[in-house]
Amino acid sequence: MKLVFLGPPGAGKGTIAVKAKDVYSIPHISTGDLFRENIRKETELGKKVKAILASGDLVPDEVTIAMVDNRLKEDDASAGFILDGFPRTIAQADALMEMTALDRVVNFVLDKEEIVKRLSGRRVCKSTGRTYHIIYNPPKVEGIDDETGEPLIQRDDDKEEAIRNRLEVYEASTAPLIDYYRQKGLLVDIDASKSPDEVLSSMVEALR
Ligand code: ADP
Ligand code: ADP
């Protein structure tokens, strides 16, 4: 199964992808996670994109496309994958079509007020990227990752100024992909306002 998860930041794509990858036995490929891993390891790519991520702008298409092209060539992605956070522009979507055919594009639908609540309450474990929410999905001990015991942090781009910018970037550059994929007959709309388990099961049902 070759899937793209499309939707605004904070809609729950990563949360559902972590569950769906086990349902379908396919890797979860998040471009945001790949960039953050490069930043953590201080690679050349990481140095190039660090300030861009902090501001909430998009990394240039050519850099992002090359990274995804390399990732999709790895063995584990040959039978299928969940692409989470890619494509985010029409140019990226065109490039993806050259790389591989997709089965479906899952569009996570959530209103703006809820998006802001989810993003502003999101906390992550810096080393593993495991995601929590201070109200909707709190860790067992406040501020501490359940498994590693490390402190949880708020991503720079989950602070108010960057959230506003990311939502504008989403509307201008990424939302046009909804029509792009609808016209190709690939789009499946999912109500992302329900609990994670309900979102997962309605998606699995819709993809059957
Ligand atoms: P979220 O899960 O909140 O939507 P991501 O983790 O997917 O955020 O992305 C974080 C940041 O990484 C983006 O704001 C952007 O700077 C960069 N990024 C991720 N994917 C892409 C992409 N496909 N094109 C350009 N930039 C990207
Ligand atoms: P995305 O990958 O689309 O940016 P995330 O999966 O990181 O979104 O989720 C954003 C925030 O919302 C996280 O704090 C997460 O714990 C929380 N969250 C995700 N899905 C749900 C849901 N269905 N209901 C309530 N909170 C959710």
Side-chain angles (χ1 to χ4, degrees):
M1 184 90 92
K2 296 184 175 178
L3 299 175
V4 161
F5 280 11
L6 184 66
K13 302 180 298 296
T15 299
I16 303 305
V18 166
K19 297 171 183 284
K21 75 178 178 27
D22 295 331
V23 174
Y24 297 111
S25 303
I26 48 178
H28 166 209
I29 301 174
S30 155
T31 41
D33 286 350
L34 291 174
F35 285 133
R36 282 184 291 273
E37 189 184 330
N38 276 278
I39 292 171
R40 206 164 45 241
K41 292 183 176 158
E42 300 182 345
T43 67
E44 282 308 307
L45 174 64
K47 287 177 198 156
K48 209 185 306 185
V49 304
K50 186 172 180 180
I52 301 176
L53 264 82
S55 71
D57 287 335
L58 293 183
V59 174
D61 283 336
E62 57 187 75
V63 175
T64 308
I65 290 166
M67 181 177 77
V68 171
D69 193 29
N70 283 330
R71 180 64 186 87
L72 291 184
K73 284 178 179 144
E74 286 179 34
D75 288 344
D76 67 336
S78 62
F81 50 76
I82 298 169
L83 267 176
D84 164 14
F86 182 94
R88 264 175 153 95
T89 64
I90 300 277
Q92 292 179 11
D94 286 340
L96 179 59
M97 285 216 307
E98 306 271 304
M99 294 176 213
T100 186
L102 297 172
D103 291 304
R104 302 307 259 292
V105 174
V106 181
N107 181 35
F108 286 67
V109 180
L110 192 66
D111 67 41
K112 196 166 160 187
E113 202 181 323
E114 189 59 28
I115 290 170
V116 173
K117 277 190 203 156
R118 287 192 185 176
L119 286 175
S120 52
R122 177 160 62 185
R123 298 292 182 272
V124 297
C125 174
K126 199 172 179 185
S127 65
T128 64
R130 192 177 298 107
T131 301
Y132 299 85
H133 189 282
I134 51 172
I135 296 162
Y136 303 138
N137 178 27
K140 292 187 185 113
V141 179
E142 189 182 329
I144 301 291
D145 183 80
D146 289 348
E147 277 166 45
T148 64
E150 292 172 275
L152 301 179
I153 59 155
Q154 183 172 37
R155 281 167 43 177
D156 286 338
D157 56 347
D158 281 344
K159 295 175 184 163
E160 199 181 330
E161 176 73 26
I163 288 180
R164 208 173 318 127
N165 186 34
R166 289 161 74 208
L167 292 177
E168 281 170 19
V169 168
Y170 169 78
E171 285 302 332
S173 302
T174 308
L177 291 176
I178 296 172
D179 277 342
Y180 176 102
Y181 284 122
R182 205 187 302 281
Q183 277 163 17
K184 294 186 191 306
L186 291 173
L187 202 77
V188 178
D189 287 313
I190 292 291
D191 174 3
S193 69
K194 304 279 164 39
S195 73
D197 285 337
E198 287 171 298
V199 176
L200 178 71
S201 61
S202 63
M203 184 191 82
V204 169
E205 188 58 36
L207 293 178
R208 225 196 291 278

